[in-house]
């Protein structure tokens, strides 16, 4: 039987696991290096190359991938940054060629609505379930377990068993 | 009622499994091109094996295919004989020699035959980038107005031609004839 202490314990262990996972660092496989005229450009290069997804190798960003297309996109990103393009302009340029797909953080729109709202909805659902389970078990405890009628049935079952 | 509640997890599992099974059947490479219904991008690039330049207006005007190929692309060798057969039937195909070495590309065409009206030499991959190419082979269907109407990622073979490309090509030909 799940009681509230058991639930509190499992929540604690889940939180610990999440904390550990969030500490894991993302490693960047930088393949070629570019000389930037300022460190803020380099900072933006890092940010954008992590957000842009490699179209060929779909589970990597262009900073991680060694596919030819990812190299091309990194070069392009470097050129555009040095030419003074804004983040918005660069992302628009990429999206107009490769589709919204190329961003790991797609724009909030009708197509991506599910993508953005699903985690929130699932979290809310989980919280509701958690609370109803907690309340149910507390009620059970308050009622002192089982009723006299249930106890009688239980005794009978045990008797039959032996 | 509380008995019915017991089936909620099962129900959720079935829904989830349904989505996952559907996901297994989808090919993640089959993405719609961002350039569908957009004009073929402007370019000015050398013609492979010739001392001349070609630009957008030289290659649009009739319904035609643009096939992105390269000698480093193994699947391109697989689809090559099929493209040759289509070309022999009079289907207009332009080649985009994507990020390749000219000498190797010309040798390839000498040995395996040349199904292309001409091959655009895209050494730097700039046209490829404007087209949203992410690998080879890719095949674009462009209508008589120079608008991209379809993109196929992967090898063109009998199944793809009969099932997808030929019906679309025919449709565009009819469209062009009625205008």
């Amino acid at each position: 039987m799940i009681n509230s202490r058991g639930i509190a314990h499992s929540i604690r262990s889940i939180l610990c696991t999440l904390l550990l996972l969030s500490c894991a660092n993302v490693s960047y496989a930088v393949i070629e290096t570019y000389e930037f005229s300022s460190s803020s450009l380099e900072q933006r290069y890092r940010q954008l190359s992590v957000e842009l997804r490699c179209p060929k190798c779909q589970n990597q960003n262009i900073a991680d991938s060694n596919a030819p297309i990812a190299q091309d996109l990194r070069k392009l990103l470097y050129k555009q940054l040095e030419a003074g393009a804004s983040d918005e302009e660069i992302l628009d340029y990429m999206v107009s060629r490769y589709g919204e797909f190329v961003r790991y953080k797609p724009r909030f729109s009708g197509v991506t609505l599910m993508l953005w709202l699903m985690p929130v909805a699932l979290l809310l659902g989980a919280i509701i379930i958690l609370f109803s389970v907690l309340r149910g078990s507390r009620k059970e405890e308050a009622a002192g377990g089982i009723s006299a009628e249930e106890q009688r049935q239980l005794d009978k079952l045990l008797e039959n068993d032996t | 009622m509380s008995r019915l509640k017991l089936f909620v997890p099962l129900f959720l599992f079935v829904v989830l499994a349904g989505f996952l099974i559907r996901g297994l059947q989808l090919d993640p490479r089959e993405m719609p091109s961002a350039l569908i219904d957009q004009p073929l991008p402007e370019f000015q690039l050398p013609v492979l094996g010739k001392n001349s330049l070609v630009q957008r207006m030289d290659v649009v005007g009739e319904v035609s295919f643009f096939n992105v190929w390269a000698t480093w692309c193994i699947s391109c060798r697989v689809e090559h004989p099929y493209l040759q057969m289509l070309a022999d039937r009079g289907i207009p195909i332009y080649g985009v020699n994507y990020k390749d070495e000219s000498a190797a590309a010309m040798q390839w065409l000498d040995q395996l035959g040349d199904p292309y009206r001409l091959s655009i030499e895209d050494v730097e991959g700039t046209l490829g980038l404007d087209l949203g190419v992410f690998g080879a082979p890719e095949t674009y269907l462009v209508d008589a107005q120079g608008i991209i109407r379809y993109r196929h990622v992967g090898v063109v073979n009998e199944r793809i031609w009969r099932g997808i490309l030929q019906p679309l090509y025919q449709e565009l030909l009819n469209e062009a004839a009625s205008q």
Side-chain angles (χ1 to χ4, degrees):
Chain A
M1 175 68 29
I2 305 168
N3 57 31
S4 48
R5 193 182 295 166
I7 290 172
H9 180 76
S10 41
I11 290 173
R12 208 173 303 141
S13 46
I14 289 169
L15 283 179
C16 281
T17 316
L18 285 178
L19 199 68
L20 277 176
L21 282 177
S22 65
C23 292
N25 244 327
V26 186
S27 59
Y28 303 119
V30 177
I31 297 121
E32 73 282 281
T33 48
Y34 289 116
E35 289 290 327
F36 286 90
S37 53
S38 80
S39 61
S40 75
L41 281 183
E42 192 171 347
Q43 181 66 28
R44 282 170 62 208
Y45 174 82
R46 275 179 208 282
Q47 261 170 11
L48 285 168
S49 64
V50 171
E51 191 192 325
L52 286 167
R53 184 170 173 176
C54 168
K56 181 77 186 170
C57 28
Q58 306 187 342
N59 287 327
Q60 284 182 304
N61 55 37
I62 64 168
D64 265 344
S65 170
N66 203 10
I69 184 69
Q71 290 172 21
D72 285 356
L73 291 184
R74 280 197 300 269
K75 191 167 145 197
L76 184 78
L77 181 60
Y78 168 72
K79 279 188 186 159
Q80 286 184 329
L81 282 170
E82 284 292 341
S86 72
D87 288 6
E88 199 59 27
E89 280 167 0
I90 292 170
L91 289 174
D92 280 347
Y93 181 93
M94 299 286 186
V95 168
S96 70
R97 282 159 180 76
Y98 293 97
E100 204 59 56
F101 171 87
V102 83
R103 295 183 62 183
Y104 265 120
K105 277 191 238 160
R107 240 157 282 202
F108 191 82
S109 70
V111 189
T112 57
L113 195 75
M114 269 263 277
L115 204 60
W116 280 106
L117 295 184
M118 201 57 142
V120 183
L122 284 176
L123 185 66
L124 282 179
I127 290 172
I128 290 170
I129 290 172
L130 185 69
F131 272 95
S132 65
V133 168
L134 274 175
R135 211 172 44 191
S137 65
R138 206 173 297 147
K139 223 182 266 170
E140 232 164 59
E141 271 168 31
I146 52 178
S147 67
E149 172 66 15
E150 280 168 336
Q151 185 64 49
R152 204 181 51 78
Q153 281 181 342
L154 186 62
D155 287 345
K156 205 168 144 195
L157 279 173
L158 284 170
E159 228 165 76
N160 284 351
D161 213 30
T162 49
Chain B
M1 186 56 211
S2 60
R3 277 284 162 86
L4 277 180
K5 238 193 237 171
L6 293 176
F7 288 95
V8 170
L10 180 68
F11 174 74
L12 287 177
F13 171 76
V14 169
V15 170
L16 187 65
F19 273 109
L20 292 176
I21 288 169
R22 179 84 191 102
L24 281 180
Q25 289 157 352
L26 294 174
D27 184 352
R29 290 184 316 154
E30 269 175 28
M31 292 186 298
S33 166
L35 273 99
I36 298 294
D37 293 334
Q38 302 286 320
L40 189 74
E42 289 288 347
F43 63 88
Q44 190 173 26
L45 290 165
V47 179
L48 180 68
K50 297 222 174 75
N51 240 339
S52 58
L53 290 175
V54 59
Q55 47 186 335
R56 183 183 183 274
M57 58 179 235
D58 300 330
V59 292
V60 298
E62 67 174 320
V63 184
S64 46
F65 290 94
F66 285 78
N67 175 250
V68 180
W69 67 284
T71 53
W72 46 260
C73 149
I74 296 151
S75 312
C76 296
R77 192 176 276 269
V78 175
E79 73 172 357
H80 196 86
Y82 199 80
L83 293 179
Q84 188 65 60
M85 201 196 75
L86 292 178
D88 291 343
R89 276 199 243 157
I91 312 286
I93 308 172
Y94 292 97
V96 177
N97 188 223
Y98 178 61
K99 300 185 69 169
D100 207 354
E101 283 166 30
S102 305
M106 276 156 66
Q107 197 189 355
W108 160 295
L109 292 181
D110 274 347
Q111 282 174 356
L112 300 173
D114 186 353
Y116 307 111
R117 291 244 173 126
L118 58 86
S119 272
I120 302 160
E121 212 182 313
D122 190 18
V123 178
E124 292 289 317
T126 49
L127 175 60
L129 198 74
D130 283 340
L131 275 171
V133 169
F134 57 81
E138 289 186 22
T139 304
Y140 292 77
L141 176 55
V142 176
D143 73 9
Q145 277 74 43
I147 310 287
I148 298 170
R149 302 293 288 266
Y150 188 78
R151 188 246 313 248
H152 172 71
V153 176
V155 172
V156 173
N157 52 29
E158 182 76 20
R159 188 175 60 85
I160 299 293
W161 174 253
R162 290 235 176 274
I164 304 169
L165 296 179
Q166 192 181 27
L168 277 172
Y169 177 63
Q170 197 55 48
E171 199 179 299
L172 292 184
L173 281 183
N174 296 342
E175 199 181 292
S178 68
Q179 272 165 359

